[in-house]
Amino acid sequence: QVQLVESGGGLVQPGGSLRLTCAASGSIFRIYTMSWYRQAPGKQRDFVALITSGDVTNYADSVKGRFTISRDNVKNTVYLQMDSLKPEDTAVYYCKSIVLTDSRSTPRDYWGQGTQVTVSS
């Protein structure tokens, strides 16, 4: 079994910064793409950013230039540095990782439980 645990959410003023962390643990043979999604109240869960195992990154247009995704493959951890935060960034942020649990299995998605980010004055 694989567990993803997010941390780093909280309340921040507009223009401020937060750094989210998502640590994967458990039966991990290899982690492929690691991603962040977010879900605002009453809305669908939307893609925010991803980073591949080769460190290729991609971002939603709404966060380009403000958010930076990175990973530490030794720690099985993905980060999301969020700068110049806006009220519309308020949401629950979830991490997702594509994980291979052993050499004979099939990679599958694992999700964290989410961390709340609130941007408000």
Side-chain angles (χ1 to χ4, degrees), residues 48 58-69 81-86:
V48 175
N58 191 28
Y59 297 90
D61 288 342
S62 59
V63 307
K64 279 181 182 176
R66 301 188 299 121
F67 291 9
T68 304
I69 190 170
Q81 177 66 39
M82 305 186 295
D83 299 317
S84 302
L85 282 161
K86 304 174 181 180

Side-chain angles (χ1 to χ4, degrees), residues 25-63:
S25 63
S27 180
I28 296 171
F29 181 77
R30 182 176 179 181
I31 301 179
Y32 295 93
T33 298
M34 305 181 83
S35 309
W36 287 95
Y37 287 73
R38 66 187 181 186
Q39 187 168 18
K43 296 188 177 181
Q44 66 181 19
R45 189 172 298 186
D46 290 329
F47 167 76
V48 175
L50 67 80
I51 183 166
T52 70
S53 56
D55 287 337
V56 174
T57 60
N58 191 28
Y59 297 90
D61 288 342
S62 59
V63 307

Side-chain angles (χ1 to χ4, degrees), residues 12 44 79 83 98 117:
V12 64
Q44 66 181 19
Y79 305 96
D83 299 317
I98 302 174
V117 171

Side-chain angles (χ1 to χ4, degrees), residues 3 7 16 22 24 29 31 41 49-50 54 57 60-62 68 70 75 87-88 92 97 103 105 107 110-112 116:
Q3 298 82 38
S7 60
C22 175
F29 181 77
I31 301 179
L50 67 80
T57 60
D61 288 342
S62 59
T68 304
S70 61
K75 296 181 179 180
E88 51 263 44
V92 177
S97 293
S103 60
S105 66
Y110 291 87
W111 289 87
Q116 176 70 47

